[in-house]
Amino acid sequence: MRIALLAAASALALAACGTTPSSSSPPSTTPANVPTISTAKQAVAVLASASGSLVSGSVTLTPMGKGLHLTGELGGLPANGTHAFHIHEKGDCSAADASSAGPHFNPFNATHGKAGSGAHHAGDMNNLTANADGVAKVDVHLEGVTLGGNAVNDVAGRALIVHAAPDDYASQPAGNAGARVACGIIKVTQ
Ligand code: CU
Ligand code: ZN
């Protein structure tokens, strides 16, 4: 009797599933259970030029809230230019064009987009703007990533990349941002 009831209940559940209209809401960019615990206290990425550019600099990453805060400075950019800035999947800047760093860091299989606004890769960040001297200050808060601890969204050992062109926050898979002009591996220091 009990088994029959269970069978009837599961049949009802299946029927209910079958009649549920397909959802029109977009898939969430990050699961509700996105890891937020960082075990490291700080990391530094020293960015060196790529693709024959003059761009270099240093960025410090610190756990803050449910993500990381990135601060630093990049120089050697064209004056007053706007440049895409991402975390890429592989901590490998060995290729002359930094293609070795792979695609945008995307542990949740999202589409490319704008951080904090709809679907986007975990490694997507807003464009950087250089001043008249070709210097861009980095002051970015990035939610949804961790530092150390080997969670799926841990950015330790991955790469920070600066591009020649701005990110349009829409083109797939990488915002039509052009060449990779600087690359640095995110190395835990504390
Ligand atoms: Cu990039
Ligand atoms: Zn992206």
Side-chain angles (χ1 to χ4, degrees), residues 91-160:
D92 182 353
C93 297
S94 61
D97 62 358
S99 57
S100 47
H104 294 180
F105 181 45
N106 185 24
F108 304 119
N109 283 314
T111 51
H112 177 71
K114 191 171 196 294
S117 162
H120 61 276
H121 299 139
D124 290 345
M125 295 182 284
N126 287 355
N127 292 324
L128 300 174
T129 304
N131 65 16
D133 298 321
V135 173
K137 299 254 192 226
V138 177
D139 185 7
V140 176
H141 185 74
L142 182 60
E143 294 271 315
V145 293
T146 54
L147 186 66
N150 271 323
V152 65
N153 61 346
D154 182 3
V155 302
R158 304 190 186 279
L160 271 181

Side-chain angles (χ1 to χ4, degrees), residues 71-93:
T71 56
E73 198 170 280
L74 296 154
L77 292 156
N80 306 309
T82 306
H83 301 271
F85 182 52
H86 312 122
I87 297 172
H88 284 239
E89 184 182 307
K90 297 176 193 163
D92 182 353
C93 297

Side-chain angles (χ1 to χ4, degrees), residues 31-44:
N33 60 347
V34 55
T36 56
I37 306 296
S38 295
T39 60
K41 292 192 173 77
Q42 190 179 77
V44 175

Side-chain angles (χ1 to χ4, degrees), residues 5-30:
L5 274 175
L6 278 173
S10 56
L12 276 172
L14 282 171
C17 280
T19 53
T20 302
S22 61
S23 171
S24 58
S25 60
S28 63
T29 45
T30 50

